[in-house]
Amino acid sequence: MDTIFALASAQGKAGVAVIRVSGPLALEAGAQLCGNELPARGTSLRILKNEAGERLDEALVLTFTSPNSFTGENTVEFQTHGSTAVVAAVLDSLGRTDGLRMAEPGEFTRRALENGNLDLAQVEGLADLIDAETEAQRKQAQAILAGALGELAEGWRAKLIRAASLIEVTIDFADEEVPVDVTPEVIALLADVQAGLEKESVGVRIAERIRSGFEVAIVGAPNVGKSTLLNALAGREAAITSEYAGTTRDIIEVRMDLSGLPVTLLDTAGLRDTEDHVEGIGIALARKRAEDADLRVFLAEDDEILDVEMRAGDIRLRPKADLRSDDEGAVSGRSGQGVDRLVDHVSSVLRNRLGQASIATRARHRDAMLLALANLTDAQDILGRGPEFYDIAAEEMRSAIRALEMLVGRIGVENLLDEIFSSFCLGK
C-alpha cells in the first residue's frame, strides 16, 4: 500500500493550510520533515525542514495511528501557514521522499471506505456535505455522514437475518416436529421491514430535491411580468424583459437559497398559440418543465383559463399589482408588491414537504430498497404456499439482505466507486 499525501484544505492563500499524509510510511515521512520522531498519537509544534536542512515553516503537527484515523491508516497532518509558497515547498519535500506519492482525487476517503471506517452511504454524505450550499442540504448531509442510513439498513438486515434463520431451522427439521410455529414471527418481521422500506423509498424524491434543489416554475401568458418577477426574486437582471410578447423563448434558470432551501427558479416562455417556430419550441419546453417542476407559480387573472393544470400546493396570483387599485392576491416584480409574501408562501409549501423526505437521498438508494421490497413481496407470497416452499422463501429473504448490503456499499458497487470519487478533491 502506497503512502499518499496532498493539500487537504482549499487551494490559494489562507491563514492556515492543512497537508495530509496517510499510509504505512506516514509517521516516518513526518519525522523526516520534523527532524525527529513524532508521537504515535497527539499534537506537537515543529519546525519543518527539507532534505537540505532548510527551514520550510513552523507547523502544528497532528499524528494518528491505525486504525484510529480518518483513513484507518497511520496519518500525519501538517497545519502550516497558508502561503502558497509554503504549501508548495512542503509538498515538494514530501514528493522527494521515497515511498510517497501525490494522492488521487478522493483517495483518502476511498481508503476510509476500504478500511471500514465509512460505508458507501457515508462517503456519499461526505460528498454532499462538501457541496452543501444551504442549511437544509447541510443537515441532510450530516445525517448521512453520521451513519443514519447505514444504521437503518443494518436494523432491517438484522430482522431479515432473524426471519431467514427461523425459516431455515424449520427446513432443517422438516422431518421432525418443531415445537413452535415460527411462521407468525417471520411474517411480522417481513412486514415490519417492508413498511420501513416503503416509507423510505417514497421519500427519496423529496430527499433528492433537498440535495439537488427544488424547481419552482413561473408560468403564465406573455407579458404578465414573469421575467420581471424572476429578476425581483433573484435580485438581479437574470432575464430580459420588454413589452413585446415572446421575448422569453428559452427556460431561464436562477439558483438561490430560499429560507435555507435550495431552489431553482424557472422563467418560462409565455403560454400562447403562435406561428413562430422558434417561439413554439420554447412554449412546448415551458409546458414540459412546468409539468415536471416541484411547484408552479401561476400569474393569471381570476377568470383566465390556464393551459397548464394546477396541482395541490401550486400558487396562483394576479399579475402587475402596481397597476391595480386592488392588489389583494396580486404580485409585482417591478414595484416589489407581494414579493415578500410570495417568498414566504413558496418557502412554507416546500418546508411542509420536508417532512416527507427519507434518509436515503439518491436514486441508487431507492433502487436498492425497491429491489429488497420486491424480494420481500415474493417471500411473503411463497410463505403462504406452505412449508414445502420455505427453502425458496428463504432464498428470497437472502436476496433482500444482499440488496440492503448494496445499499450501504458492502457488495456490488465496484463499478460506482470511480464515478463517486471523481467528484472529490485531492485532499479528500
Side-chain angles (χ1 to χ4, degrees), residues 188-270:
L189 287 168
L190 297 186
D192 187 32
V193 174
Q194 185 175 31
L197 285 168
E198 287 174 346
K199 178 178 179 295
E200 287 299 312
S201 60
V202 167
V204 170
R205 186 177 185 279
I206 298 296
E208 282 185 296
R209 285 308 199 195
I210 296 172
R211 188 168 62 86
S212 62
F214 291 95
E215 288 195 348
V216 178
I218 304 174
V219 183
N223 281 348
V224 294
K226 299 185 301 298
S227 297
T228 304
L229 178 59
L230 176 78
N231 291 339
L233 291 168
R236 61 185 175 88
E237 294 294 319
I240 299 172
T241 62
S242 80
E243 70 275 18
Y244 299 106
T247 300
T248 301
R249 297 192 173 196
D250 200 357
I251 304 293
I252 298 173
E253 302 185 6
V254 175
R255 188 172 177 86
M256 60 187 298
D257 181 336
L258 199 66
S259 301
L261 297 174
V263 172
T264 299
L265 296 173
L266 308 176
D267 177 21
T268 60

Side-chain angles (χ1 to χ4, degrees), residues 108-289:
F108 290 107
T109 307
R110 188 162 189 157
R111 291 190 177 194
L113 174 67
E114 292 169 348
N115 292 326
N117 281 22
L118 298 174
D119 63 37
L120 186 59
Q122 288 176 296
V123 169
E124 292 166 329
L126 178 57
D128 291 342
L129 183 61
I130 293 171
D131 291 336
E133 298 175 338
T134 69
E135 182 66 4
Q137 289 174 326
R138 181 192 68 79
K139 289 180 178 179
Q140 181 188 64
Q142 286 285 12
I144 298 295
L145 180 57
L149 183 57
E151 291 176 5
L152 194 59
E154 186 57 35
W156 292 333
R157 180 174 174 274
K159 290 175 182 178
L160 293 182
I161 290 174
R162 167 73 176 167
S165 300
L166 290 172
I167 287 297
E168 286 168 351
V169 166
T170 302
I171 296 169
D172 291 341
F173 293 92
D175 297 331
E176 303 177 26
E177 184 177 346
V178 179
V180 178
D181 182 8
V182 300
T183 308
E185 182 179 353
V186 170
I187 292 174
L189 287 168
L190 297 186
D192 187 32
V193 174
Q194 185 175 31
L197 285 168
E198 287 174 346
K199 178 178 179 295
E200 287 299 312
S201 60
V202 167
V204 170
R205 186 177 185 279
I206 298 296
E208 282 185 296
R209 285 308 199 195
I210 296 172
R211 188 168 62 86
S212 62
F214 291 95
E215 288 195 348
V216 178
I218 304 174
V219 183
N223 281 348
V224 294
K226 299 185 301 298
S227 297
T228 304
L229 178 59
L230 176 78
N231 291 339
L233 291 168
R236 61 185 175 88
E237 294 294 319
I240 299 172
T241 62
S242 80
E243 70 275 18
Y244 299 106
T247 300
T248 301
R249 297 192 173 196
D250 200 357
I251 304 293
I252 298 173
E253 302 185 6
V254 175
R255 188 172 177 86
M256 60 187 298
D257 181 336
L258 199 66
S259 301
L261 297 174
V263 172
T264 299
L265 296 173
L266 308 176
D267 177 21
T268 60
L271 302 179
R272 66 168 182 167
D273 295 327
T274 180
E275 295 182 1
D276 186 306
H277 178 67
V278 176
E279 185 184 357
I281 294 174
I283 292 171
L285 181 59
R287 287 194 175 97
K288 177 65 169 61
R289 289 298 295 272

Side-chain angles (χ1 to χ4, degrees), residues 285-304:
L285 181 59
R287 287 194 175 97
K288 177 65 169 61
R289 289 298 295 272
E291 289 291 344
D292 294 340
D294 300 289
L295 177 64
R296 286 84 60 83
V297 176
F298 291 91
L299 297 184
E301 299 294 344
D302 293 336
D303 58 353
E304 188 175 343

